[in-house]
Amino acid sequence: MFKKVLIANRGEIAVRVMRACREMGIKTVAVYSDVDREALHVRFADEAYPCGPPPARESYLIGKRIVEIAKKAGAEAIHPGYGFLAENGDFADLCASQGVVFIGPSGEVMRAMGDKVTARQTMERAGVPIVPGTTERLTDEAIARWVTDVGPPVMIKASAGGGGKGMRLVRSEKELSAAIARARSEAKSSFGDDSLYVEKFVEEPRHIEIQILADVHGDAVHLFERECSIQRRHQKVIEEAPGNRITPELRAKMGEAAVAAAKAVGYVGAGTCEFLVDARNHFYFLEMNTRVQVEHPITEAITGIDIVKAMIRVAAGEPLGLKQDELAIHGHAIEARIYAEDPDNNFVPSPGEILVYRPAAGPGVRVDSGVYQNARVTVFYDPMVAKLVTWGRDRAEAIERLRRALSEFVVKGIKTSIPFHQKLVHHPLFLEGRYDTGFIEQHMGGGKGPGRAAASSDRSFGRSEEDLEARRVAFMMAAIVAYRRDKQRGLASASAPAGGGQDPWKSFGRRSQMRGGLR
Ligand code: MV4
């Protein structure tokens, strides 16, 4: 096993990976940009090194520098988290060539999955159902011929795209030529690759994804599904596991398809197969994510498997040691992503200092977060503040706990999406589990705030006694906090800006002498 791992990321996922490392007796190395000197992930790490200016492309995305830091610190492996370098095949290759283990699949596998046309070809050969459509890069004329043949509606997609980027819905043939032109120029400017393909449009689809784990010995298992249809502009808002209206038969078939997909490419590590599921419960492979995902904790909650520890173990060459028929679903889990965004103002980012931070806790509650009280949310990175995950013996209990946890979660100083979640978890269709990818657009006023449809439902949602109580408590806490902060600033020496001995996080990290000019 590795003795030391560098975490090439920040925020909650860096902290999450460090927790896994600490349980495994592995030393952790953080990297941080200039605005992240005092970030939680730096405080959690055994050692920390600066990696550049605030913009990620000048710090967290400089693969060469990150690998140099890993070598200098004596880390044998790098965990990329999600985002940044996580799905960069060239970075995985660079690690390999420098003798550092990349915790994830090979660069070759990442490129094969990153290119959607190649992925569709691979899946078709492996017997995994793909969305009906083409498996070649097409000229404008070939696209037009295909659409005339099968008829609209169709989706024109960029082969280098994914996650909704470079996609065009075509509902009638007269929209076609303009859509092709737009898709091609968007793909060219976003990805430097204007290859396009076409799919039949799947109406009212649900986004269901299957978590898989695979080792270097050819073993692979799936950890069942996550339902991720509640999205706003391709940004997931709430995820749950297991999925709604997923029968044991469908679950088994999708799980087998995902394992076949992993085996077809020689996958190693944790990965996710995304599927669209239509109203008739037909499922179609969409794309594979070759990283740990934001929403992995809900799968951990229902299976008891620590996905990050599994990733580290298989990267070190250890066997998975899991048998499919020994894995089972226990209860139900839901994740609400709490963003520093103003839900009443079209979800504009709300950066600033967090004046009060009182995360939810208690039975069945897990909070993964990269912030703390008095930390700053900047404009440089993803504005996610915390992931609130609740578990219950069944879906009803998971929802009860989510409502309770949302009502006790206090964040002051910045706006958050908590009020939006509070409305969402009282919506009849959510409670019934009858929703698809159109839910927020059609039933939450597009998530645009009270200026539109949401206004009428404001009164019935989110005015609970708990909320009022939380507000009173928050106000009192803010007063106490302001008092303490003023007092502390008066007393603190210049070399201990974060509060010295009163820092509640301080005891988590064994301090090292190697923190290159920190503090
Ligand atoms: C589709 C589709 C319908 N038909 N493809 C959006 C993100 C990208 N991964 C694929 N996406 C879609 N592809 C066909 N052929 C509908 C979507 C889609 C969607 C998918 C998953 C979750 C939310 C979504 C929201 C809008 C559209």
Side-chain angles (χ1 to χ4, degrees):
M1 184 41 66
F2 311 119
K3 291 191 180 67
K4 198 187 267 192
V5 168
L6 181 145
I7 295 89
N9 215 303
R10 63 179 306 284
E12 69 86 17
I13 194 62
V15 171
R16 167 70 189 89
V17 174
M18 288 176 200
R19 285 181 163 136
C21 290
R22 191 144 298 152
E23 288 177 27
M24 298 171 84
I26 299 169
K27 296 265 191 228
T28 55
V29 181
V31 290
Y32 61 92
S33 73
D34 295 343
V35 280
D36 274 345
R37 263 168 37 102
E38 307 206 349
L40 186 61
H41 77 282
V42 175
R43 296 177 174 202
F44 253 70
D46 294 306
E47 301 167 28
Y49 296 84
C51 64
R57 92 191 80 81
E58 297 173 40
S59 50
Y60 295 109
L61 283 169
I62 309 229
K64 262 177 81 174
R65 192 178 299 156
I66 305 275
V67 172
E68 281 313 310
I69 294 170
K71 293 208 289 188
K72 180 173 140 208
E76 307 108 299
I78 295 180
H79 196 301
Y82 54 72
F84 294 148
L85 298 164
E87 293 183 280
N88 184 326
D90 294 342
F91 179 68
D93 288 348
L94 175 68
C95 289
S97 73
Q98 296 296 304
V100 177
V101 175
F102 177 83
I103 301 178
S106 67
E108 194 188 349
V109 166
M110 277 192 244
R111 281 184 289 269
M113 287 303 184
D115 184 85
K116 307 308 167 198
V117 166
T118 308
R120 280 167 64 77
Q121 291 167 354
T122 310
M123 292 309 132
E124 192 170 50
R125 257 185 273 121
V128 176
I130 57 176
V131 183
T134 69
T135 51
E136 300 294 336
R137 284 157 251 274
L138 302 178
T139 61
D140 293 7
E141 295 72 33
I143 294 174
R145 249 178 281 127
W146 195 85
V147 175
T148 306
D149 253 24
V150 306
V154 300
M155 214 68 159
I156 298 173
K157 298 189 177 185
S159 185
K165 275 184 280 176
M167 244 173 41
R168 274 281 173 299
L169 170 60
V170 176
R171 286 221 174 257
S172 76
E173 272 190 62
K174 64 182 188 327
E175 304 166 22
L176 186 61
S177 62
I180 295 171
R182 289 285 299 273
R184 230 187 256 290
S185 80
E186 223 172 272
K188 184 82 195 165
S189 62
S190 301
F191 317 114
D193 172 0
D194 69 355
S195 315
L196 301 178
Y197 65 104
V198 204
E199 287 177 357
K200 197 71 193 135
F201 180 61
V202 179
E203 305 273 0
E204 297 173 19
R206 284 177 288 158
H207 171 137
I208 306 283
E209 57 186 34
I210 306 277
Q211 175 73 55
I212 64 106
L213 290 173
D215 67 20
V216 295
H217 310 283
D219 240 358
V221 298
H222 70 85
L223 301 182
F224 313 104
E225 78 279 6
R226 294 186 286 259
E227 155 68 78
C228 307
S229 298
I230 300 190
Q231 310 198 356
R232 188 187 162 272
R233 300 194 180 166
H234 304 301
Q235 176 105 282
K236 290 168 187 164
V237 173
I238 286 215
E239 307 96 342
E240 55 183 313
N244 302 301
R245 295 173 291 152
I246 303 293
T247 62
E249 294 72 36
L250 179 58
R251 173 172 300 126
K253 272 201 281 178
M254 293 181 74
E256 278 167 35
V259 168
K263 290 191 170 169
V265 293
Y267 199 87
V268 174
T272 300
C273 286
E274 291 186 4
F275 295 96
L276 289 182
V277 177
D278 69 16
R280 291 152 47 218
N281 265 354
H282 289 211
F283 68 91
Y284 309 97
F285 174 88
L286 208 49
E287 50 196 74
M288 183 170 190
N289 300 318
T290 58
R291 59 172 193 274
V292 68
Q293 294 205 210
V294 175
E295 60 271 27
H296 77 278
I298 57 176
T299 299
E300 296 187 324
I302 63 159
T303 61
I305 304 292
D306 187 317
I307 292 169
V308 178
K309 287 204 284 194
M311 291 177 85
I312 296 170
R313 277 198 216 99
V314 301
E318 291 184 10
L320 206 47
L322 297 172
K323 293 202 173 63
Q324 191 67 56
D325 59 11
E326 289 170 9
L327 292 164
I329 296 174
H330 183 55
H332 197 98
I334 310 182
E335 171 178 278
R337 298 190 188 186
I338 298 173
Y339 289 99
E341 291 174 347
D342 183 358
D344 290 335
N345 194 11
N346 204 22
F347 291 83
V348 292
S350 180
E353 183 182 354
I354 296 174
L355 298 177
V356 179
Y357 182 68
R358 181 162 58 104
V365 174
R366 165 176 172 180
V367 176
D368 280 20
S369 174
V371 303
Y372 51 87
Q373 191 155 298
N374 297 341
R376 283 199 152 271
V377 177
T378 74
V379 296
F380 293 106
Y381 314 110
D382 185 90
M384 195 171 70
V385 169
K387 304 189 304 203
L388 172 58
V389 180
T390 62
W391 179 89
R393 293 184 57 177
D394 54 25
R395 186 168 187 264
E397 190 179 40
I399 292 173
E400 281 168 16
R401 284 178 165 163
L402 182 56
R403 289 178 176 181
R404 184 265 296 171
L406 284 166
S407 76
E408 72 185 51
F409 209 124
V410 182
V411 181
K412 294 281 164 182
I414 58 169
K415 292 282 201 326
T416 75
S417 50
I418 290 174
F420 185 72
H421 283 119
Q422 281 172 321
K423 288 176 200 163
L424 216 158
V425 297
H426 284 87
H427 196 288
L429 290 177
F430 177 73
L431 299 182
E432 283 176 50
R434 302 196 67 83
Y435 58 77
D436 58 51
T437 52
F439 177 75
I440 287 183
E441 191 63 47
Q442 290 154 30
H443 302 288
M444 296 290 290
K448 288 195 174 92
R452 300 196 43 184
S456 58
S457 53
D458 251 358
R459 195 162 297 281
S460 52
F461 300 137
R463 293 271 156 189
S464 64
E465 203 49 47
E466 291 97 319
D467 287 1
L468 293 173
E469 180 60 16
R471 257 176 236 133
R472 279 182 221 117
V473 173
F475 181 79
M476 287 187 283
M477 283 187 61
I480 296 164
V481 160
Y483 170 73
R484 285 187 52 183
R485 191 172 51 230
D486 289 347
K487 200 170 138 187
Q488 211 171 65
R489 278 178 184 160
L491 296 173
S493 76
S495 62
Q502 284 157 59
D503 179 358
W505 300 104
K506 181 131 182 145
S507 59
F508 279 98
R510 289 177 290 273
R511 306 264 58 90
S512 148
Q513 300 299 83
M514 304 170 69
R515 315 179 100 230
L518 200 75
R519 285 179 165 266

